Amino acid sequence: MRPALAFAAIVSSAAAFAQSAPPDPAPPMVGDKPLMQVKPHAAKSETKSAAGKNQPMAVRLQACLEIDDGTKERLNCYDEVIKPEPKEKAAAAKRVVDCKFTKEEDERLACYNGFVESMPKLPKS
């Protein structure tokens, strides 16, 4: 009985020592200043919108083509890339960024589609 009791006392005291953490060491110093701490970059697998902000506008516009045509979701995708600024009397669009002035949503979607579908396919980064 005594050997079992002694064994239990040793095991429990070893576990107690293992759980106690050593005190935090002082931060590394360079001269009299603390060493600068650098945090790692966020993972590449972040949300699409966060990662998409670093891509060229043409790549982001072409990504909208993956959404079903004629839907509000595709127009919203285009509008996230190029913020709409509707005008009462918008001139005919000569480039893709001019589509933002079209007031009617269906016309604006058709305008974006016309330009983006005619763009050469760019590599996705």
Side-chain angles (χ1 to χ4, degrees):
M1 180 74 172
R2 283 190 181 194
L5 188 59
F7 178 75
I10 292 172
V11 170
S12 65
S13 64
F17 283 117
Q19 289 179 0
S20 63
D24 289 334
M29 303 289 277
V30 176
D32 60 340
K33 297 181 181 177
L35 186 63
M36 183 173 73
Q37 301 294 318
V38 179
K39 294 182 180 178
H41 288 287
K44 295 265 183 189
S45 63
E46 297 247 334
T47 61
K48 223 180 210 185
S49 62
K53 297 288 182 184
N54 298 331
Q55 294 178 341
M57 183 190 318
V59 173
R60 290 184 285 158
L61 287 171
Q62 287 179 344
C64 296
L65 292 175
E66 296 173 6
I67 301 171
D68 290 334
D69 190 20
T71 61
K72 179 76 172 159
E73 288 79 22
R74 185 184 274 195
L75 180 62
N76 289 342
C77 181
Y78 287 137
D79 287 345
E80 286 179 13
V81 178
I82 301 173
K83 300 292 180 211
E85 298 174 14
K87 292 184 177 178
E88 285 296 322
K89 300 209 178 201
K94 295 182 180 174
R95 50 195 184 129
V96 72
V97 292
D98 294 338
C99 294
K100 69 181 179 179
F101 299 121
T102 306
K103 186 175 182 178
E104 182 62 38
E105 290 182 350
D106 292 335
E107 293 174 15
R108 191 165 71 238
L109 179 60
C111 179
Y112 283 130
N113 283 338
F115 281 106
V116 176
E117 289 172 351
S118 66
M119 286 181 185
K121 297 294 179 199
L122 299 171
K124 295 181 181 179
S125 336

